[in-house]
Every structure is written in structure tokens, then in C-alpha cells.
Amino acid sequence: MERVRVGFATFAHVHAPAYARALKEDLFTVADLVGIYDDDSARGRKAAETFGGAFYTDYAALLADVDVVIVTAENARHTPFVLSAAERKKHILVEKPIATTVADAEAMIAAAKRHGVVLFTAFPVRYSPAIRRLKAFIEAGEIGRVLAIKSTNRGQNPGGWFNDPRLSGGGAVMDHTVHLVDVMRWILKAEVKDVYAEIGYTVIEGQKVDDRGILTVEWTNGVFASIDCSWSRNAKYPTWGDVTLEVIGTDGVVWVDAFHQKLNVFTNADGYRYHDFGDDINVALLDDFLRHVRTGEGDVYISGEDGLAALRVALWAYEAERKGRKVAVGER
Amino acid sequence: MIGVLLVGAGIMGRVHASYYRKDQRTTIVGVVDVEEERGRALSDEFSVPYYNDLTSALRDGAKADVVDICVPTVYHYDLILQALESGKHVIVEKPLTRTLKEAEEVIARAKRLDRKLLVGHVVRFFPEYRKARDLIAQGAIGEVKVAHVSRVGPFPKAWRNWYADYMISGGVVLDLMIHDIDFLLWTFGDVVRIYAKGLYGREYAQLDYALVTFRFQNGVIAHLEGSWAHETFRTRFDISGTDGVIAYDSTRDTSLVWERRPASAAAQAGVVVPESPLMATPYERELKSFIDSLSDSTAVPAIRPEDAYEALRLSILTLEALRSGDVVEV
Ligand SMILES: NC(=O)c1ccc[n+]([C@@H]2O[C@H](COP(=O)([O-])OP(=O)(O)OC[C@H]3O[C@@H](n4cnc5c(N)ncnc54)[C@H](O)[C@@H]3O)[C@@H](O)[C@H]2O)c1
């Protein structure tokens, strides 16, 4: 495959513009943005105008014209887009969380397998150079044996359908837990053994939305970890949020703040803002996905199973909260 | 003049002693330490008698009004009772005692004997914590939702490595995290649930680390990190509410950084005592408030024995949560 023809299955997710921009500005030598399907035609038309490609009102028609589809629909609506793409032998990049239920994620994984297509979960944090460095430190035994990890992925409430649990599957816990679980799974090469969560809710436009949570998990290799997934950065906070991991090992501690390569900018117009000068991990993720599609190999393969494993932890967190106790994996 | 009998000439004993040297209202009347060399080193500095134990100091009639106890935690109980029984007020380093039962007893005894029991929860005298609490109380960040507090540092080296003995020190939760526990209780009120994971029980003698979550009655979710697994002492908090965030990091938000060249670096010994240039250190502010309350019997101490009890209670419940591996309802 020389150039990859790319389509979007809706522009609902806030990350869609980032991928479209990456295609247009960074990956134009290997891929073309062919078209955008969106059931919200105003949104779809505007995206097509901004990033190029045609606006499609018929998803099947889009699929006929592309090699891969980027599914950035609402969390709960990924499944039909993924299933019909797989059936037509199109490769798929699916936004995280892969789905909002285990059954949906399993159906996607099975379909991709059956039709022999790439199903790639969008966990861009794996491409952060700081995270990679951390992984290399740990693999080289530089900090001894890992004992514990304190992690945060804080941010702001994205608004819109993110506050409608039927479309989002949940609030902050669903939105942010998965990034850190995925990175820890990748680095520790272990699975989560038990989960506890304290979760807080706020009523937003008549819906009860979880906008904060602290999860505590234990991994199968005995490492314990906490995850702050809260939408706890206010509107005037100098940046959107963070991804941090503090890793305690027998021989040392490593602190990673993946988005802390920043200028401190003070302007009369905006007050204090961080301006990030680090690498663009969305570009790196998309580049790697396209390499897998073109050549059958790439840097890391973030599979549907990886997406599902992370989703499960978010779901267990809600279960732990409902039950008011720790949930051990495999109980029941 | 307030006569102070100092018990324990270790790290904290010396911090306290240097305050008394400055406060004209006080005079050190004797130094007690089980280790003669340590005790004499300090008593000589003040030209006061040295005693091998508190009993002999009290018997010898050291003209003390207050006994200041800076010894390993497990010994607080006996010494407090002894001091109270001989009619002295008591200043004691945190934690008040090693167990709750002991704490109940010493508080009751102090009340019955009408003596002051002043416990060194010094974080209340760190201006960064006080200011954060004031801002929160003023509603500067709206309704608080998530509060991170963190206190990390190296494993403390002390007399006979007592910090490594869980029965003596209570580990990183009872000894170090208790500071943040006190701050949280002071700021957010009552806790309803605790969940905790830590290295305690996982057999790391010279390493301790704990991640703890408190749920408060008012809905606040607090996450606490306590560590004796780091290389540099550092305290942090990040408190977020509906209208803003208050964040502090002791390694960044300070007015002076001293980088020692290795050739001249003295061997590190003892626990790290946080320092940030202020006209009076938090320890001086704390001890001043204690001495104020001894000088004026109507003054309400900044830390009531009940506050120290609550901090201890929540610390012990946190240890229980660590042991049980599941939620502990408070
Ligand atoms: N507020 C703070 O920031 C802070 C900091 C460190 C320690 N502390 C507390 O202060 C207390 C002392 O800690 P430290 O680090 O100074 O300890 P340390 O080991 O430096 O000193 C303890 C001293 O007590 C002496 N001692 C032991 N048992 C004694 C006894 N029964 N009678 C008389 N002397 C005895 C030892 O010889 C030693 O000199 C502990 O309760 C600790 O938790 C508080």
C-alpha cells in the first residue's frame, strides 16, 4: 500500500481534530484524508472544510473509498462503526476507551480477527518520550524492582456528550483511567488484580456525572498504584491537565510529568499559560498505526485486547464504588 | 521564668533547645537522655545538669514547669504520665503516643490534673499550609473536590535505627503521614472511609511507602502519599475545587536553595527537618504558641490534645486499612 486512504467515523470526540491535523500537516506524504462521515452534518461539513476530504452522509460510501477508518465517535457508539469497517476489510484506529461495555469491545476484537484487519487502540501516551525513557529505565533495572506507582491524568470536563453517560459510558473515570492503566500494563507487563475507587459526582445539565476519582489498584506482580483520573483542572489553570507517574523502586524513584516540557508564558491577554514544546504524541501514534497498516509492522501494536484490558479497570472502579469495597478480579 | 526539662537530645530535642535559647521567657533546667554522651553534649551547651532518666531528674527537683519530650514515639506514654503526675505541663513531639488507648489515658490524666498537654503538630505552623487552609475557608477555590497531599523523603537515620521498628515508630504512616492527616482533618473535618496500600508487611526494612485515600463527610476525596523511599525531602499539595486549584511544591516554591559541593558535604544524618527562610521557623512558631499558652492560662492552645488524638486515631485506622487490605469505615 503506497498511500493510505483515511476516513473518519464522526468528529464527536475532542481528539478527532488532532488526528486530522496530524494527517494534513505531518503525515501528508503517507496518507490522504479522504472523507469524514458524521451524523451531525454541520460538524462533519465544518471538519471537511477545515481539514480537507469530502463530507459523507453515508458511512458505507465512505468505507468504499478508504483503506482505514479512525473511529472518533462518542464512546458508546464505536461498535457499529468498527464492526462494519472490519467486515469491509478496513483497518481501524479506535479512540479510547475502546467501548463502554466488555461485550462491545469483545465483538470488535472478534470482528477484527475474523477479517484480518488492524484494530488499534488510541493510547498516545505510549509514544511519550518521557514514558519510553521510564520504561527503558525499568527494563534496564535502573530503579531496581518496582514497588509502587502514584499516577495522575487530570484534566478538564470536555463538556457536551461527555456529560451524557448513555453516550460516554461514564465521566472522568471512563475518560482518564484507561491511559494510565494502559501505560502501567505496558511497562509492568502485568495485569490488575484488584481495584478500589473513591468517586465523586456532580449534576451537570440534569445528569449525574463522575468528575473525579481516585483509584487504587494492585497488579499481579505485587506492585500497588493509585490513579487520579479527575477533571480537576479549572478553566483558568495554565494548561489542560497532566499525565504523571511517580515510580518507587527498590533502588530509586523516577518522576515523569509527560507534558511538562513547557514555556511559562505570561501575557496580558491570557494571564499565565503553559506552552508545550514537547513532541506531539498524537502524530507519533497515528504514524505508527499507518505503518502497521502499510507494512504489517511498526513500533508498538496497541491492540483491541489492550483497549479492553484498560476498559475493564474503569468498569471495575465503578463496580467497587457501587459496592463500597475492593473488587478482586475474577471474583463472582 | 518557665523552666523546661528537656527529655531526648536527638534531632528534635536540639530543634526545641535552640528555640528555648531564644525565648527570654524560658530557661532549660536540665537535659534527660538515656545516652549519656548525647545528653551531656546538649546539657553542657546550656550549662545545666544531665540526667540519665526522667525519674531521677524529677526526684532531684529540677525546677521545671514543663517537661518537653522528644524521644522515640513508643516511650512518649510513660514519660508523659510521669511528668503529669509530678505536676508538670507537657510538650511532646507528635505522635502523641504509639497507641490510642495510651492517648486516651494521657489526655484524661492531663485533664484531671489540670495540666497542659501540647503536641507538636507543627504543620499547622507552616505558613504555606495555614495559608492554603485560609484560602479554602474563604472559598477561593469554591467547593473542594480532590486534595492531594504528599510528604516524601529518605529513610530517617536515628538513635538505634528506631524508625525502622514498626512497634516503636509506627512506620511512615504514623510518623510522617500523620502530619498531612492532621492538616486534612484541620481543613476538611470528619473522615468517613479510608483505603490504603503500602509497603508495610511487604518486608522492606529500610524503605516505607504508602498511598492512602480518605473520603470526607463533606465529599472531599483526599489522596495521601507518604514515603521513606525518596532521596530528597519534599512536601507537596494540590487541592482542587469547583473554582480553582491551590498547588504547592516545597522544592519549587521556596526563596532559597542551597546546593552543597560534595567535597564539603557533611555526612547526612538524622531525619530531614524542613527549612525555608522565615523570620521564625515553624518549630519556633509552634513552641512560641505553646509557651504563650503556658504563660497565659486562659489562652487556648493552637493544637488541642483532642486534635492530636484525632490525627493519631486516623493514622491508626489507616494502618488498619493497610493491614486489612480493604475499606475501613471510620
Ligand atoms: N515534628 C517533626 O517535624 C518531627 C520530626 C522528627 C521527629 N519527630 C518526632 O520527635 C520524636 C523524636 O524523634 P527524633 O528524630 O528526634 O529521634 P532521635 O533518635 O534523633 O532522638 C531520640 C533521642 O531520645 C533518646 N532516648 C530514647 N529513649 C529515651 C528515654 N526513654 N528517655 C530519654 N531519652 C531517650 C535517644 O538517646 C536519642 O538521643 C519522635 O516522636 C518523632 O516522631 C517530629
Side-chain angles (χ1 to χ4, degrees), chain B residues 7-14 16 32-35 38-39 51-54 69-76 79 92-95 120-122 126 156-160 162-163 169 174-175 179 270-274 283 286:
Chain B
V7 186
I11 303 275
M12 288 318 293
R14 287 190 162 270
H16 287 210
V32 180
D33 199 298
V34 287
E35 301 277 350
R38 279 166 167 254
Y51 303 94
N52 185 43
D53 63 14
L54 180 60
I69 300 167
C70 298
V71 301
T73 306
V74 78
Y75 308 120
H76 289 183
L79 297 170
V92 60
E93 265 304 335
K94 49 45 64 180
H121 280 290
V122 71
F126 275 75
K157 295 193 190 76
W159 176 69
R160 294 191 187 167
W162 69 269
Y163 284 103
S169 72
L174 196 70
D175 196 77
H179 284 298
V271 296
V272 181
V273 178
Y283 298 94
E286 169 199 276

Short mmCIF file of all heavy atoms in Angstrom, two decimals, chain B residues 7-14 16 32-35 38-39 51-54 69-76 79 92-95 120-122 126 156-160 162-163 169 174-175 179 270-274 283 286, ligand 1:
data_model
loop_
_atom_site.label_atom_id
_atom_site.label_comp_id
_atom_site.label_asym_id
_atom_site.label_seq_id
_atom_site.Cartn_x
_atom_site.Cartn_y
_atom_site.Cartn_z
N VAL B 7 13.60 16.25 77.51
CA VAL B 7 13.84 14.80 77.51
C VAL B 7 14.08 14.34 76.08
O VAL B 7 13.18 14.45 75.24
CB VAL B 7 12.65 14.03 78.12
CG1 VAL B 7 12.98 12.55 78.26
CG2 VAL B 7 12.27 14.62 79.47
N GLY B 8 15.28 13.88 75.81
CA GLY B 8 15.63 13.44 74.46
C GLY B 8 16.49 14.50 73.79
O GLY B 8 16.03 15.60 73.52
N ALA B 9 17.75 14.15 73.57
CA ALA B 9 18.69 15.11 72.98
C ALA B 9 19.04 14.69 71.55
O ALA B 9 20.18 14.77 71.13
CB ALA B 9 19.95 15.20 73.84
N GLY B 10 18.02 14.22 70.83
CA GLY B 10 18.25 13.82 69.43
C GLY B 10 17.98 14.99 68.50
O GLY B 10 18.15 16.15 68.86
N ILE B 11 17.54 14.64 67.31
CA ILE B 11 17.28 15.66 66.29
C ILE B 11 16.27 16.69 66.78
O ILE B 11 16.53 17.89 66.78
CB ILE B 11 16.73 15.00 65.00
CG1 ILE B 11 17.69 13.93 64.49
CG2 ILE B 11 16.39 16.04 63.96
CD1 ILE B 11 18.79 14.42 63.61
N MET B 12 15.11 16.20 67.22
CA MET B 12 14.06 17.15 67.60
C MET B 12 14.38 17.84 68.92
O MET B 12 14.05 19.02 69.11
CB MET B 12 12.69 16.45 67.68
CG MET B 12 12.11 16.07 66.34
SD MET B 12 12.30 17.32 65.04
CE MET B 12 11.26 18.63 65.64
N GLY B 13 15.01 17.12 69.83
CA GLY B 13 15.42 17.73 71.10
C GLY B 13 16.28 18.96 70.84
O GLY B 13 16.10 20.01 71.48
N ARG B 14 17.16 18.87 69.87
CA ARG B 14 18.04 20.00 69.56
C ARG B 14 17.26 21.15 68.89
O ARG B 14 17.55 22.31 69.14
CB ARG B 14 19.20 19.55 68.67
CG ARG B 14 20.21 18.75 69.44
CD ARG B 14 21.50 18.48 68.68
NE ARG B 14 22.53 18.10 69.65
CZ ARG B 14 23.34 18.97 70.25
NH1 ARG B 14 23.28 20.25 69.96
NH2 ARG B 14 24.22 18.56 71.14
N HIS B 16 14.18 21.87 69.49
CA HIS B 16 13.45 22.54 70.58
C HIS B 16 14.40 23.39 71.43
O HIS B 16 14.09 24.52 71.79
CB HIS B 16 12.73 21.50 71.45
CG HIS B 16 11.53 20.90 70.79
ND1 HIS B 16 10.43 20.46 71.48
CD2 HIS B 16 11.24 20.67 69.48
CE1 HIS B 16 9.52 19.97 70.64
NE2 HIS B 16 9.99 20.09 69.42
N VAL B 32 17.56 15.33 79.81
CA VAL B 32 17.48 13.89 80.10
C VAL B 32 17.70 13.12 78.81
O VAL B 32 17.10 13.44 77.78
CB VAL B 32 16.08 13.53 80.66
CG1 VAL B 32 16.00 12.04 80.97
CG2 VAL B 32 15.73 14.37 81.87
N ASP B 33 18.57 12.14 78.86
CA ASP B 33 18.70 11.24 77.71
C ASP B 33 19.31 9.94 78.21
O ASP B 33 20.19 9.96 79.06
CB ASP B 33 19.60 11.86 76.61
CG ASP B 33 19.39 11.18 75.26
OD1 ASP B 33 19.66 9.95 75.15
OD2 ASP B 33 18.93 11.86 74.32
N VAL B 34 18.83 8.83 77.70
CA VAL B 34 19.38 7.55 78.13
C VAL B 34 20.83 7.37 77.69
O VAL B 34 21.57 6.60 78.27
CB VAL B 34 18.54 6.34 77.62
CG1 VAL B 34 17.24 6.23 78.37
CG2 VAL B 34 18.32 6.41 76.12
N GLU B 35 21.22 8.10 76.66
CA GLU B 35 22.60 8.03 76.18
C GLU B 35 23.36 9.21 76.79
O GLU B 35 23.13 10.36 76.43
CB GLU B 35 22.64 8.15 74.65
CG GLU B 35 21.86 7.08 73.92
CD GLU B 35 22.66 5.79 73.75
OE1 GLU B 35 23.88 5.78 74.03
OE2 GLU B 35 22.04 4.78 73.35
N ARG B 38 25.22 11.80 74.38
CA ARG B 38 24.30 12.71 73.70
C ARG B 38 23.72 13.73 74.65
O ARG B 38 23.64 14.91 74.35
CB ARG B 38 23.12 11.93 73.12
CG ARG B 38 23.38 11.25 71.82
CD ARG B 38 22.23 10.27 71.60
NE ARG B 38 22.23 9.79 70.23
CZ ARG B 38 21.37 10.18 69.29
NH1 ARG B 38 20.42 11.04 69.58
NH2 ARG B 38 21.45 9.70 68.09
N GLY B 39 23.29 13.22 75.81
CA GLY B 39 22.65 14.10 76.79
C GLY B 39 23.61 15.17 77.28
O GLY B 39 23.27 16.35 77.32
N TYR B 51 20.69 14.26 83.14
CA TYR B 51 20.11 13.14 83.87
C TYR B 51 19.97 11.95 82.94
O TYR B 51 19.68 12.11 81.75
CB TYR B 51 18.73 13.48 84.43
CG TYR B 51 18.72 14.69 85.33
CD1 TYR B 51 18.43 15.95 84.81
CD2 TYR B 51 19.00 14.57 86.68
CE1 TYR B 51 18.42 17.07 85.62
CE2 TYR B 51 19.00 15.69 87.51
CZ TYR B 51 18.70 16.93 86.98
OH TYR B 51 18.69 18.02 87.78
N ASN B 52 20.13 10.79 83.55
CA ASN B 52 20.06 9.55 82.82
C ASN B 52 18.61 9.14 82.53
O ASN B 52 18.32 8.51 81.52
CB ASN B 52 20.75 8.49 83.69
CG ASN B 52 20.84 7.18 83.00
OD1 ASN B 52 21.17 7.14 81.82
ND2 ASN B 52 20.54 6.12 83.72
N ASP B 53 17.72 9.52 83.45
CA ASP B 53 16.29 9.26 83.18
C ASP B 53 15.42 10.32 83.85
O ASP B 53 15.87 11.05 84.74
CB ASP B 53 15.87 7.84 83.56
CG ASP B 53 16.02 7.58 85.05
OD1 ASP B 53 16.19 8.55 85.82
OD2 ASP B 53 15.96 6.41 85.45
N LEU B 54 14.17 10.35 83.42
CA LEU B 54 13.27 11.40 83.87
C LEU B 54 13.02 11.29 85.38
O LEU B 54 12.93 12.30 86.08
CB LEU B 54 11.94 11.32 83.09
CG LEU B 54 10.88 12.36 83.45
CD1 LEU B 54 11.39 13.78 83.23
CD2 LEU B 54 9.60 12.13 82.64
N ILE B 69 9.14 16.50 75.72
CA ILE B 69 9.51 15.11 75.40
C ILE B 69 9.78 14.93 73.90
O ILE B 69 8.87 15.09 73.07
CB ILE B 69 8.39 14.16 75.87
CG1 ILE B 69 8.22 14.30 77.39
CG2 ILE B 69 8.70 12.71 75.49
CD1 ILE B 69 6.95 13.67 77.94
N CYS B 70 11.02 14.63 73.58
CA CYS B 70 11.44 14.43 72.19
C CYS B 70 12.18 13.10 72.04
O CYS B 70 13.34 13.07 71.63
CB CYS B 70 12.37 15.56 71.74
SG CYS B 70 11.59 17.18 71.76
N VAL B 71 11.49 12.03 72.41
CA VAL B 71 12.11 10.70 72.33
C VAL B 71 11.29 9.84 71.37
O VAL B 71 10.18 10.23 70.98
CB VAL B 71 12.15 10.03 73.73
CG1 VAL B 71 12.94 10.89 74.71
CG2 VAL B 71 10.75 9.78 74.25
N PRO B 72 11.81 8.67 71.01
CA PRO B 72 11.03 7.81 70.11
C PRO B 72 9.62 7.58 70.62
O PRO B 72 9.37 7.47 71.84
CB PRO B 72 11.85 6.51 70.10
CG PRO B 72 13.27 6.99 70.30
CD PRO B 72 13.15 8.13 71.27
N THR B 73 8.69 7.53 69.68
CA THR B 73 7.26 7.58 69.95
C THR B 73 6.77 6.62 71.03
O THR B 73 5.97 6.99 71.88
CB THR B 73 6.52 7.33 68.62
OG1 THR B 73 7.02 8.28 67.68
CG2 THR B 73 5.03 7.47 68.77
N VAL B 74 7.27 5.40 70.99
CA VAL B 74 6.74 4.38 71.89
C VAL B 74 6.98 4.75 73.36
O VAL B 74 6.25 4.30 74.26
CB VAL B 74 7.32 2.99 71.55
CG1 VAL B 74 8.74 2.84 72.08
CG2 VAL B 74 6.42 1.87 72.01
N TYR B 75 7.98 5.60 73.63
CA TYR B 75 8.29 5.98 75.03
C TYR B 75 7.51 7.21 75.50
O TYR B 75 7.61 7.60 76.67
CB TYR B 75 9.79 6.23 75.18
CG TYR B 75 10.63 5.08 74.68
CD1 TYR B 75 11.55 5.27 73.65
CD2 TYR B 75 10.48 3.79 75.21
CE1 TYR B 75 12.30 4.20 73.16
CE2 TYR B 75 11.24 2.73 74.73
CZ TYR B 75 12.15 2.94 73.71
OH TYR B 75 12.87 1.89 73.23
N HIS B 76 6.75 7.84 74.61
CA HIS B 76 6.03 9.06 75.00
C HIS B 76 5.10 8.82 76.20
O HIS B 76 5.08 9.61 77.14
CB HIS B 76 5.18 9.59 73.83
CG HIS B 76 6.00 10.18 72.71
ND1 HIS B 76 5.43 10.77 71.60
CD2 HIS B 76 7.34 10.27 72.50
CE1 HIS B 76 6.38 11.20 70.78
NE2 HIS B 76 7.54 10.90 71.31
N LEU B 79 6.57 8.63 79.78
CA LEU B 79 7.19 9.90 80.17
C LEU B 79 6.14 10.98 80.40
O LEU B 79 6.25 11.79 81.33
CB LEU B 79 8.21 10.32 79.11
CG LEU B 79 9.40 9.34 78.94
CD1 LEU B 79 10.24 9.71 77.72
CD2 LEU B 79 10.26 9.32 80.20
N VAL B 92 5.08 17.61 73.90
CA VAL B 92 5.56 16.33 73.37
C VAL B 92 5.50 16.37 71.85
O VAL B 92 4.58 16.95 71.26
CB VAL B 92 4.74 15.14 73.95
CG1 VAL B 92 3.26 15.26 73.59
CG2 VAL B 92 5.30 13.81 73.48
N GLU B 93 6.52 15.78 71.24
CA GLU B 93 6.51 15.68 69.78
C GLU B 93 5.36 14.78 69.34
O GLU B 93 4.91 13.91 70.07
CB GLU B 93 7.87 15.15 69.28
CG GLU B 93 8.85 16.23 68.87
CD GLU B 93 8.27 17.18 67.80
OE1 GLU B 93 7.37 16.79 67.04
OE2 GLU B 93 8.72 18.35 67.75
N LYS B 94 4.90 15.01 68.11
CA LYS B 94 3.91 14.10 67.53
C LYS B 94 4.61 12.79 67.22
O LYS B 94 5.83 12.82 67.05
CB LYS B 94 3.24 14.68 66.30
CG LYS B 94 4.12 15.30 65.20
CD LYS B 94 5.36 14.63 64.69
CE LYS B 94 5.22 13.32 63.99
NZ LYS B 94 6.54 12.79 63.54
N PRO B 95 3.93 11.69 67.09
CA PRO B 95 2.55 11.43 67.51
C PRO B 95 2.45 11.42 69.03
O PRO B 95 3.40 11.05 69.69
CB PRO B 95 2.27 10.03 66.95
CG PRO B 95 3.51 9.58 66.26
CD PRO B 95 4.61 10.52 66.55
N GLY B 120 3.22 18.45 69.28
CA GLY B 120 3.91 19.15 68.20
C GLY B 120 3.44 18.84 66.79
O GLY B 120 4.21 18.37 65.95
N HIS B 121 2.18 19.13 66.50
CA HIS B 121 1.72 19.01 65.11
C HIS B 121 2.09 20.29 64.36
O HIS B 121 1.28 21.17 64.12
CB HIS B 121 0.23 18.70 65.06
CG HIS B 121 -0.04 17.26 65.32
ND1 HIS B 121 0.29 16.28 64.39
CD2 HIS B 121 -0.55 16.62 66.38
CE1 HIS B 121 -0.02 15.09 64.90
NE2 HIS B 121 -0.53 15.27 66.10
N VAL B 122 3.34 20.30 63.97
CA VAL B 122 3.98 21.54 63.52
C VAL B 122 3.47 22.04 62.17
O VAL B 122 3.61 23.21 61.84
CB VAL B 122 5.52 21.33 63.49
CG1 VAL B 122 5.92 20.41 62.36
CG2 VAL B 122 6.26 22.65 63.42
N PHE B 126 3.30 25.81 59.64
CA PHE B 126 3.95 26.08 58.35
C PHE B 126 3.02 27.04 57.60
O PHE B 126 1.87 26.71 57.33
CB PHE B 126 4.14 24.79 57.54
CG PHE B 126 5.39 24.05 57.89
CD1 PHE B 126 5.47 23.32 59.06
CD2 PHE B 126 6.51 24.08 57.06
CE1 PHE B 126 6.63 22.63 59.41
CE2 PHE B 126 7.67 23.41 57.40
CZ PHE B 126 7.74 22.68 58.58
N PRO B 156 14.64 7.86 57.65
CA PRO B 156 15.34 8.63 58.68
C PRO B 156 16.36 7.78 59.44
O PRO B 156 16.06 6.66 59.84
CB PRO B 156 14.22 9.10 59.61
CG PRO B 156 13.10 8.16 59.38
CD PRO B 156 13.21 7.66 57.98
N LYS B 157 17.53 8.34 59.60
CA LYS B 157 18.55 7.66 60.42
C LYS B 157 18.47 8.28 61.79
O LYS B 157 18.53 9.49 61.95
CB LYS B 157 19.94 7.89 59.83
CG LYS B 157 20.12 7.27 58.47
CD LYS B 157 21.60 7.24 58.08
CE LYS B 157 21.78 6.85 56.64
NZ LYS B 157 21.44 7.97 55.72
N ALA B 158 18.33 7.46 62.82
CA ALA B 158 18.22 7.99 64.17
C ALA B 158 18.77 6.98 65.17
O ALA B 158 19.31 5.95 64.80
CB ALA B 158 16.76 8.32 64.47
N TRP B 159 18.58 7.35 66.43
CA TRP B 159 19.09 6.55 67.55
C TRP B 159 18.66 5.08 67.40
O TRP B 159 17.47 4.79 67.30
CB TRP B 159 18.54 7.17 68.83
CG TRP B 159 18.87 6.43 70.07
CD1 TRP B 159 20.09 6.30 70.66
CD2 TRP B 159 17.94 5.72 70.91
NE1 TRP B 159 19.99 5.57 71.80
CE2 TRP B 159 18.68 5.19 71.99
CE3 TRP B 159 16.56 5.49 70.85
CZ2 TRP B 159 18.08 4.45 73.00
CZ3 TRP B 159 15.97 4.75 71.85
CH2 TRP B 159 16.73 4.24 72.90
N ARG B 160 19.61 4.20 67.35
CA ARG B 160 19.36 2.74 67.25
C ARG B 160 18.39 2.39 66.13
O ARG B 160 17.62 1.42 66.23
CB ARG B 160 18.81 2.20 68.56
CG ARG B 160 19.83 2.28 69.68
CD ARG B 160 19.36 1.51 70.89
NE ARG B 160 20.25 1.73 72.02
CZ ARG B 160 19.97 1.38 73.26
NH1 ARG B 160 18.82 0.79 73.53
NH2 ARG B 160 20.82 1.60 74.22
N TRP B 162 15.59 3.48 65.31
CA TRP B 162 14.26 3.19 65.86
C TRP B 162 13.13 3.39 64.86
O TRP B 162 12.07 2.78 64.98
CB TRP B 162 14.02 3.97 67.15
CG TRP B 162 13.87 5.47 67.01
CD1 TRP B 162 14.85 6.40 67.08
CD2 TRP B 162 12.65 6.20 66.79
NE1 TRP B 162 14.35 7.66 66.92
CE2 TRP B 162 12.99 7.58 66.74
CE3 TRP B 162 11.31 5.84 66.63
CZ2 TRP B 162 12.05 8.57 66.53
CZ3 TRP B 162 10.37 6.84 66.43
CH2 TRP B 162 10.74 8.18 66.37
N TYR B 163 13.33 4.23 63.87
CA TYR B 163 12.25 4.44 62.88
C TYR B 163 11.93 3.16 62.11
O TYR B 163 10.84 2.99 61.60
CB TYR B 163 12.64 5.55 61.90
CG TYR B 163 12.51 6.95 62.48
CD1 TYR B 163 13.63 7.66 62.90
CD2 TYR B 163 11.26 7.55 62.60
CE1 TYR B 163 13.52 8.94 63.42
CE2 TYR B 163 11.13 8.83 63.14
CZ TYR B 163 12.26 9.52 63.54
OH TYR B 163 12.13 10.78 64.07
N SER B 169 7.92 3.11 66.05
CA SER B 169 7.63 4.33 65.29
C SER B 169 6.26 4.31 64.61
O SER B 169 5.69 5.36 64.34
CB SER B 169 8.70 4.55 64.22
OG SER B 169 8.55 3.61 63.17
N LEU B 174 2.35 6.47 60.62
CA LEU B 174 2.19 7.04 61.96
C LEU B 174 3.20 8.15 62.22
O LEU B 174 2.94 9.08 62.99
CB LEU B 174 2.33 5.94 63.01
CG LEU B 174 1.80 6.33 64.39
CD1 LEU B 174 0.29 6.43 64.37
CD2 LEU B 174 2.25 5.34 65.45
N ASP B 175 4.36 8.05 61.61
CA ASP B 175 5.38 9.04 61.92
C ASP B 175 5.36 10.25 61.00
O ASP B 175 5.55 11.38 61.44
CB ASP B 175 6.77 8.42 61.88
CG ASP B 175 7.76 9.33 62.56
OD1 ASP B 175 7.76 9.35 63.81
OD2 ASP B 175 8.48 10.07 61.87
N HIS B 179 1.37 14.04 59.78
CA HIS B 179 1.38 15.50 59.60
C HIS B 179 0.29 15.93 58.62
O HIS B 179 -0.44 16.89 58.86
CB HIS B 179 2.74 15.95 59.03
CG HIS B 179 3.85 15.96 60.03
ND1 HIS B 179 3.83 16.76 61.14
CD2 HIS B 179 5.03 15.27 60.06
CE1 HIS B 179 4.96 16.57 61.83
NE2 HIS B 179 5.70 15.67 61.20
N GLY B 270 20.31 11.73 60.47
CA GLY B 270 19.07 12.14 61.11
C GLY B 270 17.97 12.45 60.11
O GLY B 270 18.19 12.48 58.91
N VAL B 271 16.78 12.67 60.61
CA VAL B 271 15.68 12.99 59.72
C VAL B 271 15.90 14.39 59.17
O VAL B 271 16.53 15.23 59.79
CB VAL B 271 14.31 12.94 60.43
CG1 VAL B 271 14.00 11.55 60.91
CG2 VAL B 271 14.24 13.94 61.56
N VAL B 272 15.35 14.61 58.01
CA VAL B 272 15.45 15.93 57.42
C VAL B 272 14.42 16.83 58.08
O VAL B 272 13.26 16.49 58.16
CB VAL B 272 15.20 15.85 55.90
CG1 VAL B 272 15.33 17.23 55.27
CG2 VAL B 272 16.16 14.88 55.27
N VAL B 273 14.87 17.94 58.59
CA VAL B 273 13.95 18.91 59.16
C VAL B 273 13.74 19.99 58.11
O VAL B 273 14.67 20.67 57.72
CB VAL B 273 14.52 19.52 60.45
CG1 VAL B 273 13.57 20.57 60.99
CG2 VAL B 273 14.77 18.42 61.47
N PRO B 274 12.52 20.10 57.60
CA PRO B 274 12.30 21.05 56.53
C PRO B 274 12.61 22.47 56.97
O PRO B 274 12.30 22.86 58.10
CB PRO B 274 10.82 20.88 56.18
CG PRO B 274 10.23 20.20 57.35
CD PRO B 274 11.30 19.39 57.98
N TYR B 283 8.86 25.56 63.68
CA TYR B 283 9.07 24.98 65.01
C TYR B 283 9.10 26.07 66.07
O TYR B 283 8.56 25.91 67.17
CB TYR B 283 10.36 24.15 65.03
CG TYR B 283 10.28 22.99 64.08
CD1 TYR B 283 10.78 23.11 62.78
CD2 TYR B 283 9.66 21.80 64.45
CE1 TYR B 283 10.67 22.05 61.89
CE2 TYR B 283 9.55 20.75 63.57
CZ TYR B 283 10.05 20.88 62.28
OH TYR B 283 9.93 19.84 61.41
N GLU B 286 5.57 27.27 66.59
CA GLU B 286 4.83 26.28 67.38
C GLU B 286 5.18 26.40 68.86
O GLU B 286 4.31 26.51 69.73
CB GLU B 286 5.17 24.88 66.87
CG GLU B 286 4.67 23.75 67.75
CD GLU B 286 5.41 22.45 67.47
OE1 GLU B 286 5.00 21.75 66.53
OE2 GLU B 286 6.39 22.14 68.17
N1 LIG C 1 7.63 17.46 64.22
C1 LIG C 1 8.53 16.98 63.40
O1 LIG C 1 8.75 17.51 62.31
C2 LIG C 1 9.33 15.78 63.80
C3 LIG C 1 10.46 15.42 63.09
C4 LIG C 1 11.19 14.32 63.51
C5 LIG C 1 10.79 13.61 64.61
N2 LIG C 1 9.68 13.95 65.29
C6 LIG C 1 9.28 13.18 66.49
O2 LIG C 1 10.16 13.51 67.54
C7 LIG C 1 10.40 12.39 68.36
C8 LIG C 1 11.89 12.15 68.46
O3 LIG C 1 12.43 11.90 67.18
P1 LIG C 1 13.96 12.22 66.80
O4 LIG C 1 14.04 12.11 65.33
O5 LIG C 1 14.37 13.44 67.46
O6 LIG C 1 14.70 10.96 67.41
P2 LIG C 1 16.28 10.77 67.65
O7 LIG C 1 16.54 9.33 67.51
O8 LIG C 1 17.08 11.75 66.87
O9 LIG C 1 16.45 11.17 69.17
C9 LIG C 1 15.86 10.44 70.19
C10 LIG C 1 16.66 10.66 71.45
O10 LIG C 1 15.93 10.13 72.54
C11 LIG C 1 16.83 9.42 73.39
N3 LIG C 1 16.03 8.47 74.14
C12 LIG C 1 15.49 7.31 73.72
N4 LIG C 1 14.71 6.77 74.68
C13 LIG C 1 14.73 7.62 75.73
C14 LIG C 1 14.13 7.60 77.02
N5 LIG C 1 13.28 6.62 77.37
N6 LIG C 1 14.38 8.63 77.85
C15 LIG C 1 15.22 9.61 77.50
N7 LIG C 1 15.83 9.66 76.31
C16 LIG C 1 15.58 8.68 75.43
C17 LIG C 1 17.86 8.85 72.47
O11 LIG C 1 19.07 8.57 73.12
C18 LIG C 1 18.03 9.97 71.45
O12 LIG C 1 19.02 10.88 71.84
C19 LIG C 1 9.60 11.25 67.76
O13 LIG C 1 8.36 11.12 68.41
C20 LIG C 1 9.39 11.69 66.35
O14 LIG C 1 8.22 11.14 65.80
C21 LIG C 1 8.96 15.04 64.93
#
